[in-house]
Amino acid sequence: MEKKIQISSGGLKNKKTYAAHAMGNWGPEQENSDHLQHPLTLSEDGLWLTCDGSFLEDHEEYKIVVPVKDGLEAKRIYGERRVQGKHVNTRFDFDTDHNTFWLLAQSHPVVRPGEWNQNNIYV
């Protein structure tokens, strides 16, 4: 099965985005996280942000983390993605302590949809 992580670029074309995963100690809230080693890149057609995903273990949970200026920027991105029909699930996940907006990818199933700890899972 393809391990490629894929997320719509809607609202994110000029933002750095990273894949944060359980085995890599998630995102910036953990000092030893490896999320910066897994950036997503814009596809040639500009429609998708992708990452290899070969770092994922079977059944490992992951999520996309987007550093933002503040909650207003996160809400703008969220609103734009919702209007475009690109936001996976409806939950708005924003970490005020680290100014990070968390997203789900279209490429893999979601576990615990709508809950505070919803994540994608590689299966």
Side-chain angles (χ1 to χ4, degrees), residues 4-116:
K4 184 167 99 174
I5 296 170
Q6 188 172 27
I7 183 169
S8 166
S9 65
L12 299 170
K13 286 186 181 174
N14 296 314
K15 298 299 301 173
K16 292 182 180 185
T17 57
Y18 304 93
H21 63 118
M23 300 296 284
N25 291 319
W26 292 107
E29 70 280 4
Q30 300 294 328
E31 200 171 295
N32 59 348
S33 170
D34 73 353
H35 71 283
L36 295 176
Q37 296 175 27
H38 310 296
L40 280 75
T41 57
L42 190 62
S43 62
E44 287 185 27
D45 62 9
L47 298 176
W48 300 98
L49 291 164
T50 61
C51 179
D52 176 347
S54 62
F55 57 91
L56 295 171
E57 300 289 332
D58 288 340
H59 302 288
E60 183 177 7
E61 295 185 24
Y62 75 92
K63 206 162 183 177
I64 307 303
V65 60
V66 183
V68 292
K69 179 181 171 186
D70 54 26
L72 291 174
E73 183 180 18
K75 287 179 183 174
R76 179 195 56 75
I77 293 168
Y78 174 77
E80 190 174 326
R81 292 179 66 77
R82 291 288 310 261
V83 166
Q84 294 176 11
K86 305 298 183 187
H87 192 77
V88 176
N89 211 293
T90 58
R91 187 174 170 84
F92 175 73
D93 285 329
F94 176 67
D95 178 348
T96 57
D97 292 337
H98 299 94
N99 280 333
T100 51
F101 181 43
W102 293 81
L103 300 166
L104 297 168
Q106 285 92 340
S107 57
H108 293 92
V110 175
V111 294
R112 300 175 300 277
E115 296 180 29
W116 74 270

